[in-house]
Amino acid sequence: MHPRSPSIISSSSRIAAHNLVKSTSSPLRCAAGAIPGYVRTFSASRSRRLQRRIVRPAAAERTFITSATRHARPAEGSFKPQEADRESDQVDVCIVGGGPAGLSAAIRLKQLANDAGNEDFRVLLLEKAGEIGAHILSGNVIEPSAMQELIPDWLSEDNPSRFEGATPATKDKMRFLTKNSSIPIPAPPQMNNHGNYILSLNEFCKWLGERAEEIGVEVFPGFAASEVLYESDGSVKGVATNDLGISRAGTPKDSFERGMEFHARATLFAEGCHGSLTKQIVKKFDLRRDSEPQTYGLGLKEVWEVPSEKHRKGEVVHSMGYPLPSSTYGGGWIYHFGENLVSMGLVVGLDYQNPWLAPYGEFQKLKHHPEYKAVIEGGKCISYGARTLNEGGFQSIPKCSFPGGALIGDTAGFLNVPKIKGTHTAMRSGMLAAEAAYKAITENSDPSPVFLYDYEDSLRSSSIWKELKQVRNMRPSFSSPLGIYGGILYSGLEAYIFRGMTPWTLKHKGHDHETTKFADQSPKIEYPKPDGKISFDILTSVSRTGTNHEEDQPIHLQVKDWQKHAAKEWPRFKGLENRFCPAGVYEYVDDDSREIGKRFQINAQK
């Protein structure tokens, strides 16, 4: 269930509306030459028709084609796409998601296999974006501990393939904002960024993807895993990719191609926050039976190019307070990195009470605060994006292993909220899962899917567990009647005195959406008109995401019953959906033919 929306909208639809991210309309790309004996060719069309020929060293040549199964158009309405045969391939480990966790798992698996002389050990990574990193928001402060373990020379001048986009963090600032003032406050130890780096996470993931291919990972960008496959005993068998060439009406077009199945002995899900396949896995294996509900935040981010005199390379600034009301958890940031670039943004806890609050509107207000305006005024906004975050922390971590696979990274919810960092924990979880998977597969000759017992054990003895347990009570403390002030006070005690050693663990209040008050019980919020220089209307911002979809394809956001939803939710919340979405996807429009005078719709690309 989505943290903000009424229950009639499907949970995948509601979270997906928040996950507005950069994508690409360019053809698929690959670096097949990096893998000896491995050749891939992609067609230039956006339909991603693929013909793949694999020549495996010291083995017979094998050919399979996923685009050759073209169907003659049958009588109208007689062909059901899901009844067409799918090609399949068997690999050792299949990884769903090309973010930091998935890429780290893939690299670690091939490191282990190559070091053991097991070059035929196959690791395949599926990424829905057209290229690795395209669905990753830029601007990130990374704690390098996991990276230094995975690729120790990642920044070394002696490494010709080193990552060149890291800016050392040089200065920290913490501010409490009122409407016109900025008050310095002590930053908790968790927010000390000495030794950390500011970087473009988009570019970092692209770089990791190149390193993965160099050592033999089979990286498939542009292929979205859309279905979990199961063995007869109920264990996960692998995944299938989405069908292509389906019209908006759900009927097959001339370009129709069936998706492909990838079978594996271990399938690692690295989909990020609230992934659609992860939700199915969690439900099937009841992985949340011993954990609290997950809670969420919405992060909105822009990258600006600013005048050189305003750029303070390496400076990290975080803020709390304005523009959010005292009952709402959240905060802003400005990171100075690269050449005259700043990443700035706002995170809003999705357990906010007032249905009139619009996270996008709050973000535009934040940019006009003197602390932020002084940096970006005279600059140029070059990109925008938004995504949801798992904020539940230690209390909300589910069981992460199940028959045939595991959850890794933000899929499992390893974000350290007080530290405002999750890349290092995501990467480490991927590495731990990789080590458990390789051991389980190589020590068990049975070709069936494996259970990663060692992954659960290694998680509990890892720095991830220790780190999240230490700060477990900070985020829930902001849900007290004292709001942000009580949270700051309690978090200070936890940071400097308790240090996570208290015998109690605070609980979350429940699901985020349960905190939403009715519209007539809450003060209405009016947002100022954007000036087009510092603040922007939502359509202008969406144009900066680079998001582009094929016109004639199914709409992935679904509402179970449009009229029932509108009739139930509009009188209570007066268009909450209009306001919580950072891309203007959901909308109520005037319609005199409806009893409530409104029609609920989804604004898909046309």
Side-chain angles (χ1 to χ4, degrees):
M1 184 172 292
H2 183 276
R4 296 308 315 171
S5 297
S7 59
I8 296 178
I9 301 179
S10 68
S11 58
S12 59
S13 301
R14 295 190 298 261
I15 285 287
H18 287 307
N19 286 338
L20 172 70
V21 291
K22 288 191 67 177
S23 64
T24 178
S25 58
S26 62
L28 294 181
R29 304 190 310 178
C30 70
I35 309 174
Y38 183 67
V39 181
R40 289 184 288 169
T41 59
F42 294 95
S43 69
S45 70
R46 185 59 180 165
S47 67
R48 300 193 294 263
R49 291 189 294 269
L50 168 65
Q51 182 176 28
R52 201 178 66 165
R53 179 172 179 264
I54 293 182
V55 183
R56 304 191 65 178
E61 183 175 298
R62 178 173 55 147
T63 303
F64 61 89
I65 300 172
T66 63
S67 61
T69 309
R70 302 295 296 273
H71 299 269
R73 179 177 290 277
E76 191 69 28
S78 65
F79 176 59
K80 296 181 180 180
Q82 58 269 36
E83 293 180 356
D85 292 335
R86 285 191 291 217
E87 297 285 350
S88 65
D89 191 18
Q90 179 71 43
V91 299
D92 292 291
V93 180
C94 178
I95 300 170
V96 180
L103 288 164
S104 297
I107 291 172
R108 186 66 185 127
L109 278 162
K110 286 302 290 184
Q111 286 176 339
L112 292 168
N114 293 347
D115 289 347
N118 189 6
E119 288 83 3
D120 284 340
F121 188 91
R122 295 187 65 195
V123 179
L124 180 137
L125 183 144
L126 300 173
E127 166 54 39
K128 64 182 178 180
E131 58 184 36
I132 297 297
H135 282 187
I136 302 293
L137 289 177
S138 296
N140 176 273
V141 177
I142 184 173
E143 181 182 305
S145 56
M147 190 64 232
Q148 288 168 347
E149 182 179 329
L150 184 67
I151 306 177
D153 63 347
W154 72 295
L155 293 178
S156 173
E157 293 290 337
D158 297 328
N159 178 8
S161 299
R162 66 185 177 276
F163 181 70
E164 297 183 345
T167 299
T170 58
K171 187 176 183 180
D172 281 304
K173 290 183 179 180
M174 186 73 186
R175 297 289 186 264
F176 185 86
L177 304 183
T178 63
K179 186 174 182 179
N180 297 304
S181 300
S182 176
I183 304 168
I185 58 175
Q190 291 82 7
M191 297 182 71
N192 180 359
N193 286 294
H194 177 73
N196 295 337
Y197 295 89
I198 312 169
L199 47 76
S200 163
L201 198 58
N202 171 291
E203 294 298 326
F204 181 65
C205 286
K206 287 182 183 178
W207 179 83
L208 281 176
E210 293 167 359
R211 305 291 78 75
E213 288 195 311
E214 283 178 354
I215 63 173
V217 178
E218 301 172 39
V219 179
F220 284 179
F223 290 85
S226 60
E227 180 184 348
V228 183
L229 306 174
Y230 299 96
E231 296 280 8
S232 58
D233 63 1
S235 61
V236 171
K237 182 180 182 178
V239 295
T241 60
N242 59 316
D243 295 336
L244 301 174
I246 303 294
S247 72
R248 180 172 292 221
T251 58
K253 299 186 290 186
D254 289 339
S255 59
F256 171 76
E257 298 166 17
R258 193 75 162 103
M260 183 171 178
E261 295 186 2
F262 291 98
H263 304 164
R265 297 190 63 193
T267 304
L268 306 182
F269 291 85
E271 295 182 284
C273 178
H274 208 71
S276 57
L277 299 187
T278 299
K279 288 189 300 178
Q280 298 174 33
I281 292 291
V282 168
K283 182 177 181 180
K284 178 176 177 62
F285 296 106
D286 195 17
L287 299 181
R288 289 203 168 277
R289 59 187 178 273
D290 298 322
S291 62
E292 292 194 32
Q294 185 60 263
T295 65
Y296 300 92
L298 174 62
L300 304 98
K301 180 184 294 187
E302 291 176 347
V303 177
W304 285 67
E305 185 176 3
V306 301
S308 58
E309 64 271 15
K310 295 185 176 183
H311 190 253
R312 300 183 290 272
K313 193 169 185 176
E315 184 174 274
V316 176
V317 181
H318 290 103
S319 68
M320 300 184 70
Y322 182 87
L324 298 176
S326 61
S327 61
T328 301
Y329 180 82
W333 76 86
I334 308 178
Y335 303 152
H336 296 248
F337 71 106
E339 297 302 321
N340 299 327
L341 296 176
V342 297
S343 165
M344 62 170 302
L346 177 71
V347 172
V348 181
L350 291 180
D351 58 349
Y352 60 83
Q353 300 174 9
N354 188 341
W356 297 104
L357 187 147
Y360 183 84
E362 298 295 321
F363 180 40
Q364 302 310 306
K365 286 169 61 178
L366 174 69
K367 292 188 291 180
H368 282 277
H369 189 278
E371 181 74 29
Y372 288 77
K373 185 177 180 180
V375 176
I376 63 175
E377 191 169 33
K380 178 183 179 181
C381 180
I382 58 179
S383 66
Y384 164 80
R387 61 157 293 189
T388 44
L389 309 169
N390 289 319
E391 290 191 345
F394 184 78
Q395 294 92 318
S396 300
I397 297 174
K399 300 293 183 183
C400 294
S401 295
F402 50 85
L407 309 179
I408 62 176
D410 206 26
T411 288
F414 295 131
L415 175 69
N416 185 326
V417 177
K419 187 179 281 191
I420 320 179
K421 291 177 183 63
T423 303
H424 68 294
T425 51
M427 293 179 68
R428 187 168 298 283
S429 70
M431 294 158 64
L432 293 174
E435 291 165 1
Y438 187 77
K439 180 181 179 182
I441 291 171
T442 56
E443 292 184 356
N444 186 351
S445 59
D446 186 338
S448 61
V450 296
F451 195 102
L452 307 187
Y453 294 103
D454 285 359
Y455 178 47
E456 290 284 355
D457 294 339
S458 61
L459 272 176
R460 282 161 176 74
S461 60
S462 72
S463 59
I464 299 173
W465 210 258
K466 179 181 178 181
E467 184 178 318
L468 296 184
K469 185 176 182 179
Q470 186 178 33
V471 300
R472 68 191 184 280
N473 288 328
M474 291 188 178
R475 173 63 178 93
S477 71
F478 284 81
S479 298
S480 75
L482 296 178
I484 188 174
Y485 306 108
I488 291 175
L489 177 61
Y490 183 86
S491 294
L493 293 174
E494 278 283 0
Y496 292 102
I497 299 176
F498 301 153
R499 299 183 183 274
M501 302 299 290
T502 55
W504 60 82
T505 296
L506 300 180
K507 293 185 176 181
H508 300 299
K509 282 189 172 181
H511 295 282
D512 289 335
H513 74 276
E514 295 171 346
T515 66
T516 312
K517 295 181 178 180
F518 292 162
D520 59 7
Q521 299 173 344
S522 307
K524 191 170 184 179
I525 302 174
E526 298 287 350
Y527 291 97
K529 184 178 179 179
D531 66 1
K533 297 178 180 179
I534 289 176
S535 52
F536 308 99
D537 63 81
I538 201 163
L539 292 180
T540 298
S541 292
V542 170
S543 72
R544 294 190 175 118
T545 67
T547 302
N548 186 38
H549 301 287
E550 183 181 343
E551 293 182 5
D552 188 17
Q553 67 175 355
I555 300 172
H556 71 282
L557 300 175
Q558 301 293 326
V559 178
K560 294 179 180 179
D561 187 319
W562 298 82
Q563 294 188 36
K564 183 178 180 181
H565 174 84
K568 179 181 178 181
E569 307 304 345
W570 171 263
R572 301 195 299 171
F573 301 109
K574 296 294 188 292
L576 168 69
E577 301 89 339
N578 290 34
R579 297 181 287 273
F580 71 57
C581 180
V585 173
Y586 298 116
E587 186 179 16
Y588 283 94
V589 296
D590 294 333
D591 188 341
D592 293 337
S593 68
R594 305 299 171 93
E595 183 177 349
I596 61 172
K598 297 287 181 180
R599 182 180 76 254
F600 183 60
Q601 67 182 29
I602 288 177
N603 296 320
Q605 182 176 0
K606 297 180 180 178

